[in-house]
Amino acid sequence: MGKRDDLIAKYADDLANKCGMTADMDLLTKVTIGCGPAIYDADASTVAGSQPAELETVKNNFLIKKLGLKDGPELDAAIKSVLETYGQSERNKYRAVIYYMLTKHFGKESIYG
């Protein structure tokens, strides 16, 4: 197994143990690949849930540009909901896990066809 496979396994574990979800491994793999090289960078691989600028980045670069959603209060509410599911006290909130949960939340799995 390569480094990416190890990370995907770690993300699936987070989904199961911290978020109470069973991962769709095919979708999780595609979301992880979609994150590109960011998954290998310690800072870029996580989302700082307490930083408004970071949450704007998730909204603009992922929800609006990648998933094609229209900006509105429901996007901020979804991000907040996903962060609460992950656990506010959880220090390492992995970007791929958050993107996976947001993809499921909005029913946009088809983006990863």
Side-chain angles (χ1 to χ4, degrees):
M1 279 181 36
K3 187 166 181 171
R4 185 174 69 203
D5 292 328
D6 293 343
L7 289 170
I8 291 168
K10 184 178 0 179
Y11 301 153
D13 184 65
D14 265 23
L15 280 164
N17 296 316
K18 296 176 183 168
C19 306
M21 305 170 112
T22 302
D24 170 342
M25 292 308 289
D26 186 48
L27 179 63
L28 181 58
T29 299
K30 290 174 181 173
V31 170
T32 301
I33 291 168
C35 288
I39 62 170
Y40 304 110
D41 179 271
D43 186 48
S45 69
T46 58
V47 172
S50 60
Q51 294 181 358
E54 179 80 1
L55 302 181
E56 277 298 306
T57 299
V58 170
K59 182 166 80 172
N60 292 324
N61 293 355
F62 184 69
L63 294 178
I64 296 171
K65 289 180 183 168
K66 178 72 178 172
L67 297 187
L69 299 168
K70 297 263 184 275
D71 195 1
E74 65 280 356
L75 299 188
D76 295 314
I79 293 169
K80 185 174 188 242
S81 169
V82 162
L83 292 174
E84 285 171 4
T85 300
Y86 212 141
Q88 290 292 354
S89 63
E90 185 55 46
R91 195 167 174 277
N92 290 322
K93 295 181 185 77
Y94 292 106
R95 185 170 305 278
V97 173
I98 288 172
Y99 286 6
Y100 171 89
M101 288 196 287
L102 287 168
T103 301
K104 294 290 266 185
H105 176 88
F106 287 107
K108 290 288 192 173
E109 294 89 340
S110 62
I111 297 281
Y112 291 97

